[in-house]
Each structure stands twice: as C-alpha cells, then as structure tokens.
Amino acid sequence: MQSKQVWMNGRLVPAEQATVPFLNTGLHYGLAVFEGIRAYRTARGPAVFRLREHVERLLHSAHVLAMPAIPWSEPEIVAAVREVVAANGFDDCYVRPLIYLSEGGWNLDVGNGKASLGIAVWEWGPYLGAEAREAGVRANVSSFTRHHPNVMMTKAKIAGNYANSALAKTESVRLGFDEAIMLDPSGFVAECTGENLFLVRDAALVTTPTATILEGITRDSILTLARDLGHEVHEEPVSRDQLYLADEVFVCGTAAEVVALREIDGRKVGSGRVGPFTRSLQQAFHAAVRGENARYERWLTYVRDAPAERADLATPLPSTSRASS
Ligand code: PPE
C-alpha cells in the first residue's frame, strides 16, 4: 500500500507527514466519513470513475453524521482528487478521501468540532484475491447481522460502521472463506462486508433493496449496464435460500469490482464457475471504467484534461444522482 503524496487540508504533503493527532475522535470513536474511489488507466491517461457521485456521497455521509460545516465544496474536492491522483503518477489506483474531526467531538457532540479532509491514493490490486475475477470466491452467511438502519446509518460511509464489517470478514476468513454475506435484522440478505450483492435466476437479475445497505455506486453502474444490455432487473428482498438456488451470485464494489460467488455455505452456486451474466457484466464494467465504451464517458473524469474538455462536468448530476441511465 504505497502512497507518495497525500492531500491534507488543501495541500500535498509527503505520505509520511500525513498524520493526525492521537487525540482525535475519529480514532477514538470512529467519527469520520470516507469514500472509496478508483482511477483507471485509459487511452487518455488516468480517469477517475464516477468521481462526482463519490464526492456527493462523501458530503452526504458527513451530513448524515451531523458533522460541522465542511470547508470544502464538491467542485473543490473533485479538483483535489484530480490533483492528488496526478501528483502520485499512478494510472490505476484507489482514492481514499476521509473527513475527520480535527477538533471537538469529545463530549460525543459531533456538531461542535472542526472538520478536516485528507485524500490519499495507493495502488490496490484485486481486493478479494488474485483469482477472484477469473474463478470467483467462496462466501458464507455471517453469524454477525448487518446494521439495523436505526442503529447505524447505512447510507453513510461512517468509519465506525466498519467495525461490523471487520467482525464479519475476520470470522469468515478464519473459517476459510473469502467473504461474508450479511443478513439484515429481519433476516433478509443485505450486502457483503464491502460490496453489494446480485443474483441471477431464470435469466433475470435481482439485487437487494436499498433500505439497509450502502447505496453502492458500482451497484448503480451494474443496474445501468444490465438494463442497457437488455436484462430484466429487479430490486427486491432476497432470502438466504434464494442465494442457494440462484444460477449465479456476484458481488460488486469499488475495491472488489465485480466478482462471482462460486460457493455459499458449502453449496455450489449454479455451475460453480463464473456464469455468463456475471461475465458479461464484468466485461461491460471493465470496458466502461477504461473508457472503451463511449456510452459511459460521462462516468469518467480524465485527470489530465482541462475542465472545459470534461464530459463529466457538461451536465449536472441528476437530483437522485445515482439514478444514472
Ligand atoms: N457495501 C459496503 C458495506 C461497502 O463498504 C461498499 C464499498 C459497497 C457496499 C459498495 O459501494 P461502492 O463502492 O459505492 O460500489 N466498500 C468500499 C470500502 C472497502 C474497504 O475495504 O475499505 C470500497 O469498495 O471502496
């Protein structure tokens, strides 16, 4: 995980100088919000995938957590991400903006502090392992339940939310699986520890409704790609045994990208190999992120382009922002 320059509150500093004080409520209570974004190598240099949607979700997360005013606007954060990707010279990289309280929060009143922003980038290879994309991975249903939507705020990427993910992931890895599937407090399938989940049955694609999950930007991209490929798609509650009976199951997220679950709870899913729907969506996703399909140019922010040349700035984000077809 190498990072050269980190953007800290308005300026680039060498990574070893990008530090926060030990007395920081982000560290003590998990009171911070973050994003996970990827930039990809394209024929026109690195392009950040759906940058504005990620920055918008970052600001939404801060709003949900009732953080004090963020001293950076959406366009300023977009510009900062481009600056830090360019400064590190990576073509393919992961981008991690994080808003934390540099002052305050000690009485657990988040609103009385001072918000700061740091943005790091690093080269992050296959998140679920080297074989994941080609062969799929093995998952189990976790003994840990995903957040009740009035216990943690599931639409916000709050640092503290991830203790739940870490409990589940650590347990699954210790049991010999690659990833954990988490059920919501009603017992329906919610999501994985860092990915949303889709299944395919009888040639239709199904994904879980948004009430108890993070509204993934990759999930939204897959919904658009699937509809554009002519697939039938439904958002509806999914039970554990519907996973066992699916022809294909796959997970998707910024870090993980699109990965098949070839086995769940010791049961082979479908053929036990990456199925045709998963494969075609994987290919469509990778073509889109690499700028190989002009239809999805609007999703790319080319790091080296001047603002006037940028398709992603030409149109405002729709108000529902991720309803992007
Ligand atoms: N659910 C959860 C709980 C989640 O953390 C992510 C992203 C998603 C769904 C998919 O969201 P999106 O990336 O917008 O498609 N997880 C991020 C953090 C992973 C990590 O280990 O850190 C990510 O993929 O960047």
Side-chain angles (χ1 to χ4, degrees), residues 138-252:
R138 297 169 55 251
N140 69 330
V141 173
S142 183
S143 75
F144 293 97
T145 300
R146 194 62 180 150
H147 300 301
H148 181 290
N150 202 33
V151 171
M152 290 301 250
M153 300 296 102
T154 59
K155 302 300 159 288
K157 275 183 90 77
I158 298 170
N161 286 6
Y162 282 80
N164 173 256
S165 288
L167 285 167
K169 179 73 173 252
T170 306
E171 177 190 59
S172 289
V173 170
R174 285 183 183 172
L175 290 171
F177 297 98
D178 304 300
E179 181 53 294
I181 298 166
M182 305 199 70
L183 306 183
D184 71 20
S186 307
F188 292 101
V189 174
E191 58 188 338
C192 290
T193 60
E195 306 90 20
N196 295 123
L197 184 142
F198 284 77
L199 64 84
V200 179
R201 193 173 181 191
D202 298 333
L205 214 59
V206 179
T207 194
T208 62
T210 55
T212 65
I213 62 170
L214 184 75
E215 294 172 324
I217 292 167
T218 319
R219 173 187 182 279
D220 179 72
S221 309
I222 294 293
L223 286 172
T224 299
L225 294 169
R227 289 189 181 113
D228 290 351
L229 286 168
H231 298 323
E232 198 185 315
V233 292
H234 304 286
E235 294 179 60
E236 60 190 35
V238 172
S239 67
R240 181 174 185 164
D241 49 4
Q242 281 175 315
L243 297 179
Y244 299 159
L245 296 174
D247 301 321
E248 302 177 30
V249 178
F250 66 88
V251 298
C252 67

Side-chain angles (χ1 to χ4, degrees), residues 35-39 92-96 120-124 254-255:
E35 267 307 313
I37 312 172
R38 273 193 191 269
D92 284 302
C93 61
Y94 187 79
V95 185
R96 169 57 56 81
V121 303
W122 63 85
E123 288 178 299
W124 212 5
T254 299

Side-chain angles (χ1 to χ4, degrees), residues 33 44 48 104 164 176-177 220 223 298 320:
V33 297
R44 287 165 60 190
V48 185
N164 173 256
F177 297 98
D220 179 72
L223 286 172
R298 66 183 186 281
T320 51

